[in-house]
């Protein structure tokens, strides 16, 4: 069906007017054109025009939507509500037509994509709980009525696409969002990426049931449109385009990365709502550039689901429980099983090992072992002991294909790519049958590995059996380049690649590879990894770029004590984020063998916050992780951020931190919650060595601030830099802080930005700063709710505090008259200020000119335009 504005042309509606009404319509049209200031049509042409001629004139001189808007307004003035209602029904008909099309499309095609039987998928209607879960996705956490921008975050294969499909089906059946959205459009980013350049109109048209989509009608109410972008990681974009590069024209073709940035950064159709699915790594990369209203973490199978799956696969209940316990005892393997398709892989692999009379525990040593066992098993017939030559060639071709795909960010392959890597057309049915490849339903003759992690392990195997110089694609780089690309997280889609390469170097994996391919492997890879370590050693800049958890995961998979110790002792600084029990276990495994650290930054998020159900194994891992604070005797910088610790976890940390009292110079505790009495923490900062204390983003009650000030006012305290930005400091805190400014003789930098200081609080601090023995040199007061009224107090500080060298006042509502007062003080001979932080663009043109002129007059003063 074509556009409503075209199909149900103006002529059809003008034909509904009698002769008198038609003449009246023309009079109203003349007035409407003048009122809107539109391009004039010849009145002579209008007067003599027939209904068909007038419709053509309007569509010739104005856009379709503009012509229709005028027509409907004139019908309103003529009291022809019947025609307005008829048009409304026709327009609504397009939404109903699209809903019906979407339901048919989902029913016939999309469900097969998830390997779900049609009758199983549709055998039950959506329950009230299902509908509430879908509706709740689009309830913004932020206040106000901003359009929805919701991220579904989860690892590949965990069920994000399936959830989106079910949501669309529920809408197409009329179960959810009926008054909220007239249209829901779904775009797979893997398919969008292939387009290279596109417009939003073009994307929508590809989803429309016929060749011509009513784009103007669809986008005439953007608040009624929900756009779904699935698998954002496939786009490999970081939303870093400059504002001037973005586009607001829905019909203009752009590079697809620019189109997506323009939409998600609200340059184009800011009133639309969005549902975006992405892997955690992709979300982390761009979360600062996209303003989300909600983030939903999709976790996949729960423990009960995994247990149920194992019971359904193993007939013997005792055997099922034994195998499940084996998996449950390995945190890394248990995490893998949360992804439904990988749970199937693990369970069927273990079942086959048992059927062959082998010990299943041996392949649960590390995740790499289970992946390789599964892959080798599918290429070896059940009755055989070794693969055929054809099977060896097919796996070698797959590994070559996988490596090329990892370097070119390709996860969907055409037949040409398969042939280039040695996979013949005749091999494809076999590879589909053993489920190492899957056919893409959306694209003819396109294939993917059945899960991205399987592509990663195949790519890793390629590096063990072949040299990159022998690969048919020049995109495939050396093992050194691969490892640094992986460890620095340059490619967010590389989740396990480096880990699998390290894992394949284990003695047991080497034997499996040699047995499958029938020849001894070169030991060159291990030598090349040693060279990588030597490159890391002593290179402070490179160490700062390496993601610690990636390194830990590699070393954990390798399971080589000597190599682990050597690798960890190449590192003088490490930063990492542990998001679950598995991450803490891997970090503990490596850190307890580290003795050379000087800088450590980590986050454990909510892993250690819950006392209820607190597992003994996790506490042991936390002990081992904290042991690095004892074994590394020269740590002088420690940062803990985005972390919640319960009392048990905090006491473990406290007992280890005490050993740093003689070396720690910089302590940063940012966005941390101690679910216990805080007084022990403030005891830790009494060290005479500590020089910098950063508590920004961590909530501090007035009693916390009092304990902090008691420590800072002790004679042995040597803290020079104190950062308390965004700590929700209360009015009572300013008296405590002013006491520090009066008594402390080492503190020279104070940052209390993003606290509700206000003019009254600043007055309290300024009284302390104007005392003759003040030693403060730098003060940051950004976003402190200050107004021009505070400038008298600041001016007094400028002329009385002879140590103050710089102050930042960004993001405060200072006015022109207040700034005049400040600059008068700056001209005084006793004023020592050299840096004044103001964002010139925050002020009107007159004030901007004033600031520029003042800076030119005073060559010793630097006005910062931004920070």
């Amino acid at each position: 069906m074509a556009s409503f504005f075209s199909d149900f042309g103006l002529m059809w509606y003008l034909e509904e007017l009698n002769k008198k009404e038609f003449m009246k319509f023309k009079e109203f049209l003349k007035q409407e054109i003048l009122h809107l200031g539109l391009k004039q049509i010849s009145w002579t042409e209008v007067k003599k025009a027939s209904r068909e001629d007038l419709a053509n004139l309007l569509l010739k001189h104005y856009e379709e939507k503009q012509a229709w808007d005028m027509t409907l307004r004139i019908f309103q003035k003529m009291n022809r509500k019947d025609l307005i209602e008829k048009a409304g029904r026709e327009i609504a008909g397009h939404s109903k037509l699209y809903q019906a099309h979407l339901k048919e499309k989902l029913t016939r095609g999309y469900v097969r994509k998830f390997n779900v039987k049609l009758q199983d998928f549709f055998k039950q209607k959506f329950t009230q709980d299902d509908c509430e879960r879908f509706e709740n996705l689009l309830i913004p956490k932020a206040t106000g009525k901003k359009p929805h921008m919701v991220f579904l975050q989860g690892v590949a294969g965990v069920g994000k696409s399936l959830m989106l499909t079910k949501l669309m089906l529920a809408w197409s059946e009329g179960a959810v969002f009926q008054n909220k959205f007239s249209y829901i459009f779904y775009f797979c980013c893997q398919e969008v990426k292939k387009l290279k350049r596109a417009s939003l109109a073009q994307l929508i048209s590809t989803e429309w049931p016929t060749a011509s989509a009513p784009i103007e009608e669809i986008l005439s109410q953007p608040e009624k449109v929900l756009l779904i972008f699935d698998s954002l990681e496939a786009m490999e974009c970081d939303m870093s385009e400059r504002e001037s590069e973005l586009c607001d024209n829905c019909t203009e073709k752009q590079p697809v990365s620019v189109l997506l940035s323009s939409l998600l950064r609200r340059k184009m159709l800011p009133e639309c709502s969005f549902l975006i699915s992405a892997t955690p790594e992709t979300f982390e990369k761009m979360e600062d550039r996209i303003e989300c209203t909600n983030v939903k973490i999709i976790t996949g199978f729960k423990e009960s689901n995994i247990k149920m799956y194992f019971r359904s696969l193993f007939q013997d209940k005792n055997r099922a429980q034994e195998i499940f316990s084996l998996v449950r005892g390995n945190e890394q393997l248990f995490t893998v099983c949360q992804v439904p398709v990988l749970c199937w892989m693990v369970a069927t692999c273990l079942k086959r090992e048992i059927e062959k009379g082998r010990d299943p525990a041996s392949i649960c040593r590390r995740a790499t072992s289970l992946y390789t066992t599964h892959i080798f098993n599918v290429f070896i017939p059940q009755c055989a002991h070794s693969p055929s030559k054809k099977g060896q060639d097919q796996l070698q071709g797959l590994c070559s294909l996988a490596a090329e795909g990892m370097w070119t960010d390709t996860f969907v392959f055409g037949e040409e790519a398969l042939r280039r890597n040695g996979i013949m057309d005749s091999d494809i049915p076999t590879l589909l049958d053993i489920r190492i490849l899957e056919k893409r339903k959306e694209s003819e003759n396109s294939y993917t590995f059945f899960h991205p992690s399987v592509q990663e392990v195949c790519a890793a195997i390629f590096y063990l059996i072949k040299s990159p110089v022998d690969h048919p694609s020049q995109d495939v780089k050396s093992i050194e380049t691969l490892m640094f690309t992986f460890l620095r997280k340059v490619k967010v889609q590389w989740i396990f690649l480096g880990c699998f390469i390290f894992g394949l170097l284990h003695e047991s994996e080497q034997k499996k590879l040699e047995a499958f391919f029938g020849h001894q492997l070169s030991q060159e890879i291990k030598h090349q990894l040693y060279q990588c370590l030597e490159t890391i050693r002593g290179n402070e800049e490179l160490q700062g770029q390496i993601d610690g958890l990636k390194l830990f995961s590699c070393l954990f998979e390798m399971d080589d004590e000597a190599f682990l110790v050597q690798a960890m002792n190449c590192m003088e600084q490490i930063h990492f984020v542990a998001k679950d029990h598995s991450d803490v276990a891997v970090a503990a495994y490596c850190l307890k063998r580290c003795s050379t650290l000087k800088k450590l930054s980590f986050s454990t998020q909510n892993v250690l916050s819950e006392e209820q159900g607190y597992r003994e194994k996790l506490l042991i891992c936390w002990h081992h992780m904290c042991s690095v604070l004892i074994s590394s005797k020269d740590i002088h910088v420690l940062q803990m951020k985005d972390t919640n610790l319960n009392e048990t976890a905090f006491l473990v940390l406290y007992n280890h931190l005490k050993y740093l009292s003689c070396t720690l110079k910089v302590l940063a505790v940012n966005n941390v919650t101690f679910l216990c009495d805080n007084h022990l923490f403030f005891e830790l900062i009494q060290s005479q060595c500590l020089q910098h204390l950063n508590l920004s983003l961590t909530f501090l009650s007035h009693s916390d601030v009092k304990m902090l000030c008691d420590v800072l006012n002790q004679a042995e305290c040597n803290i020079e830099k104190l950062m308390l930005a965004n700590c929700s400091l209360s009015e009572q805190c300013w008296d405590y802080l002013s006491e520090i400014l009066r008594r402390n003789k080492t503190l020279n930098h104070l940052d209390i930005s993003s606290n509700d200081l206000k003019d009254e609080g600043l007055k309290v601090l300024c009284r302390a700063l104007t005392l003759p023995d003040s030693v403060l040199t730098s003060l940051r007061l950004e976003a402190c709710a200050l107004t021009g009224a505070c400038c008298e107090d600041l001016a007094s500080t400028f002329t009385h505090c002879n140590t103050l060298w710089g102050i930042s006042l960004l993001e405060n509502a200072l006015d022109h008259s207040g700034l005049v007062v400040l600059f008068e003080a700056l001209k005084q001979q006793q004023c020592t200020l050299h840096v004044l932080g103001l964002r010139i663009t925050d002020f009107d043109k007159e004030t901007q000119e004033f600031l520029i002129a003042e800076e030119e007059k005073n060559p010793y003063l630097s006005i910062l335009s931004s920070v």
Side-chain angles (χ1 to χ4, degrees):
M1 181 178 285
S3 165
F4 164 72
F5 299 112
S6 301
D7 267 10
F8 302 93
L10 284 170
M11 183 187 73
W12 293 16
Y13 279 81
L14 296 179
E15 290 284 0
E16 296 289 327
L17 304 176
N18 61 37
K19 187 175 181 180
K20 188 176 179 180
E21 286 176 326
F22 186 49
M23 292 303 296
K24 196 172 182 181
F25 181 92
K26 291 180 177 181
E27 291 289 341
F28 277 124
L29 177 62
K30 186 178 180 182
Q31 295 172 19
E32 193 72 19
I33 292 170
L34 286 170
H35 175 69
L36 295 173
L38 299 177
K39 180 182 175 184
Q40 294 289 318
I41 307 177
S42 166
W43 179 240
T44 305
E45 285 187 86
V46 171
K47 279 179 71 175
K48 67 180 182 181
S50 66
R51 289 165 174 75
E52 183 179 357
D53 292 338
L54 184 59
N56 289 334
L57 274 173
L58 289 174
L59 294 173
K60 177 183 174 184
H61 285 78
Y62 310 111
E63 292 180 359
E64 288 179 354
K65 185 176 183 302
Q66 199 171 49
W68 263 99
D69 285 344
M70 281 197 297
T71 300
L72 294 176
R73 277 197 295 271
I74 294 171
F75 286 165
Q76 182 74 37
K77 292 177 180 178
M78 293 173 63
N79 203 30
R80 286 301 303 263
K81 292 181 181 178
D82 58 321
L83 296 181
I84 297 170
E85 289 171 2
K86 181 181 178 183
R89 286 193 300 272
E90 300 289 7
I91 292 170
H94 281 85
S95 176
K96 298 300 180 189
L97 169 78
Y98 174 71
Q99 278 187 292
H101 160 72
L102 184 62
K103 182 177 179 181
E104 182 188 8
K105 182 178 179 180
L106 292 170
T107 305
R108 284 190 298 104
Y110 274 37
V111 175
R112 290 199 299 273
K113 173 182 170 183
F114 302 105
N115 298 308
V116 181
K117 290 181 180 178
L118 195 66
Q119 60 268 31
D120 292 341
F121 194 80
F122 293 104
K123 65 184 177 182
Q124 292 181 336
K125 291 288 184 182
F126 290 106
T127 65
Q128 186 65 32
D129 285 347
D130 291 330
C131 295
E132 284 181 7
R133 187 167 71 252
F134 295 145
E135 295 269 5
N136 287 340
L137 278 178
L138 293 168
I139 295 176
K141 287 185 177 179
T143 56
K145 294 186 177 180
K146 292 181 179 178
H148 305 286
M149 177 73 74
V150 179
F151 260 88
L152 298 185
Q153 183 192 141
V155 298
V158 80
K160 302 184 297 295
S161 297
L162 183 58
M163 175 181 276
L164 291 172
T165 301
K166 287 183 174 181
L167 179 148
M168 289 187 291
L169 184 64
W171 175 76
S172 71
E173 290 186 345
V176 293
F177 304 132
Q178 290 311 291
N179 296 321
K180 188 183 290 287
F181 300 118
S182 299
Y183 298 97
I184 296 180
F185 293 104
Y186 170 92
F187 307 111
C188 172
C189 289
Q190 289 169 334
E191 302 303 317
V192 172
K193 183 182 178 182
K194 292 178 186 177
L195 297 174
K196 306 295 184 188
R197 294 178 66 86
S199 67
L200 178 60
Q202 180 185 350
L203 293 184
I204 290 173
S205 294
T206 61
E207 296 299 308
W208 198 253
T210 60
S212 179
I215 298 298
E216 289 199 45
E217 174 205 318
I218 292 167
L219 301 181
S220 63
Q221 288 185 293
E223 69 279 3
K224 291 277 196 177
V225 176
L226 172 64
L227 301 178
I228 296 176
F229 286 94
D230 192 13
S231 302
L232 187 61
E233 62 274 7
M235 292 295 297
E236 276 291 296
C237 58
D238 58 8
M239 306 284 154
S240 61
E241 292 86 357
R242 295 190 299 273
E243 186 73 18
S244 59
E245 295 178 278
L246 302 182
C247 174
D248 60 3
N249 187 335
C250 300
T251 61
E252 186 179 320
K253 283 192 175 184
Q254 294 285 337
V256 287
S257 59
V258 174
L259 173 62
L260 204 56
S261 283
S262 300
L263 286 164
L264 300 189
R265 287 167 59 185
R266 300 292 193 188
K267 178 77 170 180
M268 184 185 295
L269 289 182
E271 307 90 348
C272 270
S273 291
F274 292 87
L275 258 177
I276 305 124
S277 81
T279 58
E281 290 78 11
T282 303
F283 175 73
E284 287 169 16
K285 190 174 180 179
M286 57 184 62
E287 64 178 318
D288 293 335
R289 298 181 181 128
I290 299 176
E291 191 175 352
C292 299
T293 53
N294 200 359
V295 178
K296 175 73 174 177
I297 297 175
I298 310 299
T299 55
F301 275 178
K302 296 182 174 64
E303 185 166 337
S304 58
N305 302 127
I306 300 171
K307 188 179 290 188
M308 190 181 303
Y309 189 85
F310 276 77
R311 283 178 181 169
S312 69
L313 196 66
F314 293 91
Q315 300 298 321
D316 185 329
K317 286 186 178 180
N318 291 332
R319 176 51 64 92
Q321 182 57 44
E322 176 191 337
I323 299 301
F324 172 77
S325 298
L326 190 63
V327 171
R328 189 65 191 88
N330 183 321
E331 283 299 328
Q332 289 67 39
L333 209 52
F334 180 70
T335 301
V336 166
C337 285
Q338 291 174 356
V339 179
V341 69
L342 296 181
C343 186
W344 164 83
M345 182 190 78
V346 170
T348 53
C349 182
L350 291 171
K351 185 180 181 185
R352 185 162 180 180
E353 289 298 287
I354 291 168
E355 289 170 350
K356 287 188 172 185
R358 297 173 184 162
D359 178 13
S362 63
I363 66 167
C364 291
R365 182 189 59 82
R366 292 290 189 264
T368 305
S369 182
L370 196 134
Y371 272 88
T372 54
T373 301
H374 171 75
I375 289 170
F376 294 152
N377 277 347
V378 298
F379 280 98
I380 301 174
Q382 190 83 13
C383 56
H385 296 287
S386 60
S388 64
K389 177 66 168 63
K390 188 173 184 180
Q392 291 173 331
D393 291 343
Q394 286 172 340
L395 180 54
Q396 187 168 298
L398 279 175
C399 293
S400 177
L401 178 74
E404 179 182 316
M406 296 312 296
W407 282 105
T408 59
D409 303 318
T410 304
F411 295 86
V412 180
F413 303 93
E415 290 179 340
E416 183 185 341
L418 270 65
R419 293 188 202 105
R420 182 170 60 249
N421 288 281
I423 301 170
M424 299 299 102
D425 293 355
S426 58
D427 295 325
I428 294 174
T430 302
L431 298 176
L432 293 173
D433 188 51
I434 63 176
R435 286 198 66 184
I436 199 81
L437 288 185
E438 290 186 344
K439 192 169 186 176
R440 294 281 294 184
K441 303 300 181 192
E442 301 91 336
S443 306
E444 197 66 30
N445 300 325
S446 291
Y447 306 89
T448 65
F449 287 83
F450 85 84
H451 188 268
S453 61
V454 175
Q455 180 174 336
E456 291 191 84
V457 76
C458 286
I461 292 171
F462 169 82
Y463 278 88
L464 272 291
I465 61 174
K466 284 282 189 180
S467 169
V469 297
D470 299 327
H471 198 283
S473 170
Q474 292 184 343
D475 291 306
V476 176
K477 308 299 182 189
S478 69
I479 190 70
E480 294 93 343
T481 304
L482 184 153
M483 287 314 306
F484 287 126
T485 301
F486 180 76
L487 292 175
R488 291 164 56 229
K489 292 180 75 172
V490 174
K491 287 181 174 284
V492 295
Q493 294 189 74
W494 292 13
I495 310 300
F496 304 110
L497 180 55
C499 306
F500 285 141
I501 285 177
F502 273 77
L504 289 168
L505 293 174
H506 190 273
E507 183 181 359
S508 63
E509 297 307 305
Q510 294 276 294
K511 288 178 180 177
K512 279 157 62 175
L513 284 165
E514 290 174 355
F516 186 91
F517 288 104
H519 60 81
Q520 193 168 1
L521 301 177
S522 166
Q523 296 303 302
E524 181 65 19
I525 291 281
K526 199 163 190 176
H527 174 68
Q528 290 169 328
L529 293 183
Y530 273 120
Q531 288 181 320
C532 288
L533 293 180
E534 288 304 314
T535 303
I536 292 171
R537 189 192 304 274
N539 188 329
E540 189 173 343
E541 183 180 357
L542 179 58
Q543 288 189 41
Q545 296 169 355
I546 287 175
D547 180 275
L549 198 65
K550 291 284 190 188
L551 177 62
F552 298 158
S553 300
C554 289
L555 297 170
F556 181 84
E557 284 296 316
M558 191 177 193
D559 197 15
D560 182 324
E561 179 83 16
F563 194 98
L564 169 64
V565 172
Q566 182 173 356
M568 290 308 300
N569 288 332
C570 286
M571 303 298 291
E572 292 189 344
Q573 59 173 305
I574 286 177
H575 62 90
F576 68 94
V577 178
K579 298 175 182 175
D580 53 33
H581 185 165
S582 173
D583 290 346
V584 172
V586 168
Y589 173 82
C590 296
L591 286 173
K592 69 180 180 181
R593 293 169 174 84
C594 183
S595 60
T596 57
L597 277 190
K598 293 181 179 178
K599 298 179 183 178
L600 173 63
S601 171
F602 71 90
S603 162
T604 58
Q605 299 188 346
N606 291 315
V607 183
L608 295 150
S609 63
E610 296 296 330
E611 187 69 56
Q612 190 176 7
Y614 200 89
R615 293 195 291 273
E616 187 178 347
K617 272 179 64 178
L618 179 59
L619 189 58
I620 292 170
C621 290
W622 177 237
H623 267 280
H624 287 237
M625 190 174 132
C626 291
S627 69
V628 73
L629 302 174
I630 300 174
S631 59
S632 287
K633 302 182 187 306
D634 295 320
I635 294 179
H636 60 261
V637 177
L638 175 65
Q639 181 185 36
M640 179 166 53
K641 59 183 180 179
D642 304 325
T643 290
N644 295 325
L645 296 179
N646 65 23
E647 187 168 8
T648 307
F650 173 74
L651 287 173
V652 172
L653 177 67
Y654 171 79
N655 288 324
H656 287 82
L657 269 175
K658 288 190 293 186
Y659 289 89
L660 288 181
S661 60
C662 297
T663 61
L664 194 64
K665 293 182 179 179
V666 179
L667 176 62
V669 180
N670 307 130
N671 192 26
V672 174
T673 302
F674 302 120
L675 304 174
C676 57
D677 188 349
N678 289 354
H679 77 278
L680 286 176
F681 169 74
F682 292 105
E683 283 184 18
L684 292 171
I685 64 176
Q686 295 183 32
S687 161
Q688 293 183 19
C689 291
L690 194 64
Q691 295 174 353
H692 293 185
L693 178 62
N694 182 345
L695 301 179
S696 295
L697 295 169
T698 293
F699 173 79
L700 298 175
S701 67
H702 70 274
S703 58
D704 291 334
V705 177
K706 186 179 187 308
M707 284 188 279
L708 171 64
C709 293
D710 287 344
V711 171
L712 267 66
N713 284 329
Q714 293 174 10
E716 60 269 26
C717 176
N718 289 308
I719 290 177
E720 300 172 1
K721 188 173 185 178
L722 177 63
M723 303 179 73
L724 304 175
N726 208 345
C727 290
S728 302
L729 301 182
S730 66
E731 189 178 340
Q732 294 167 286
C733 298
W734 312 130
D735 286 325
Y736 299 137
L737 288 174
S738 68
E739 186 68 16
I740 294 173
L741 296 175
R742 286 188 179 95
R743 296 173 56 183
N744 187 291
K745 299 308 172 195
T746 59
L747 184 67
N748 55 49
H749 176 97
L750 176 64
D751 184 354
I752 52 174
S753 300
S754 300
N755 287 293
D756 204 14
L757 176 63
K758 296 184 179 176
D759 299 342
E760 296 80 7
L762 181 62
K763 188 183 289 289
V764 175
L765 297 184
C766 285
R767 278 200 291 266
L769 288 171
T770 53
L771 294 175
D773 52 354
S774 173
V775 297
L776 199 72
T777 61
S778 175
L779 179 62
R780 296 182 77 104
L781 302 172
E782 298 163 15
C784 281
L786 303 178
T787 71
C790 75
C791 291
E792 291 284 354
D793 294 307
L794 283 173
S796 178
T797 303
F798 292 174
T799 54
H800 287 84
C801 182
N802 57 15
T803 59
L804 193 61
W805 189 82
I807 185 168
S808 180
L809 298 167
L810 287 142
E811 298 183 54
N812 286 294
L814 305 183
D815 54 24
H816 188 94
S817 59
L819 292 175
V820 170
V821 172
L822 290 187
F823 279 92
E824 284 300 317
L826 291 172
K827 294 172 185 175
Q828 303 302 313
Q829 188 175 359
Q830 62 269 41
C831 179
T832 58
L833 203 72
H834 283 257
V835 177
L836 176 60
L838 294 170
R839 186 177 286 110
I840 294 179
T841 54
D842 286 347
F843 299 97
D844 58 35
K845 188 176 180 182
E846 180 190 0
T847 306
Q848 289 182 28
E849 291 173 353
F850 167 76
L851 290 173
I852 293 168
E854 289 296 327
E855 187 175 24
E856 288 175 353
K857 290 178 192 174
N858 189 343
Y860 301 104
L861 179 67
S862 173
I863 301 177
L864 304 180
S865 61
S866 63
V867 171

